[in-house]
Amino acid sequence: MKPLSVVVAQSDTKAADFLVKSLYNHFRVVNKVNDLSELRNSIPRHRADVAILDLELADLKQLQRLRNEFAGTTFVCTHRLADEKMWTEALAAGAADCCHTSDVRAIVLAATQIKPLSHAHAA
């Protein structure tokens, strides 16, 4: 079953708006927040199944704390310069995946826990 509620937290407003618009095609509820404080409040308020978190808003220790705080929420990290090293570190911190900010397909696949056979994590 696909997650129904998604919260998008991106450092770039244009990227956030692009993701929100694109994700409406895949999820029933998509909410946008501007920072970690709003994200912390929004996850329980909207019963978010997925949080899409820009790694320019949070470091890996913050990601680990969020994962511990919201264990039932899948975290998909994004970054405008996502690469293999960042992907490895994000997964080690508890993310389901780390995708380029504009790679909607990879974000949706990670959010729904469907892993592609070959997935290029670098931009």
Side-chain angles (χ1 to χ4, degrees):
M1 180 175 171
K2 288 186 179 181
L4 299 177
S5 181
V6 176
V7 177
V8 175
Q10 299 290 300
S11 63
D12 179 273
T13 303
K14 288 183 181 181
D17 292 341
F18 167 78
L19 278 176
V20 167
K21 182 178 178 183
S22 299
L23 294 173
Y24 272 121
N25 295 324
H26 302 278
F27 304 102
R28 189 174 62 177
V29 177
V30 181
N31 295 286
K32 180 176 82 170
V33 298
N34 298 309
D35 58 39
L36 286 181
S37 176
E38 286 183 48
L39 180 64
R40 277 198 165 85
N41 293 327
S42 188
I43 290 173
R45 183 175 56 237
H46 297 291
R47 296 183 180 142
D49 300 298
V50 176
I52 300 171
L53 176 62
D54 185 351
L55 288 177
E56 290 187 47
L57 284 180
D59 62 30
L60 295 173
K61 287 184 181 185
Q62 290 168 317
L63 171 61
Q64 286 176 322
R65 283 193 292 269
L66 288 166
R67 282 287 301 131
N68 290 335
E69 190 175 342
F70 304 105
T73 300
T74 298
F75 284 82
V76 178
C77 292
T78 61
H79 196 276
R80 61 188 169 81
L81 302 173
D83 62 15
E84 192 71 27
K85 181 180 184 287
M86 189 177 297
W87 174 78
T88 302
E89 291 172 348
L91 265 59
D97 206 343
C98 182
C99 310
H100 188 275
T101 304
S102 64
D103 191 348
V104 175
R105 180 179 180 274
I107 292 168
V108 170
L109 288 172
T112 56
Q113 299 299 315
I114 300 169
K115 299 295 180 193
L117 294 176
S118 62
H119 181 87
H121 299 283

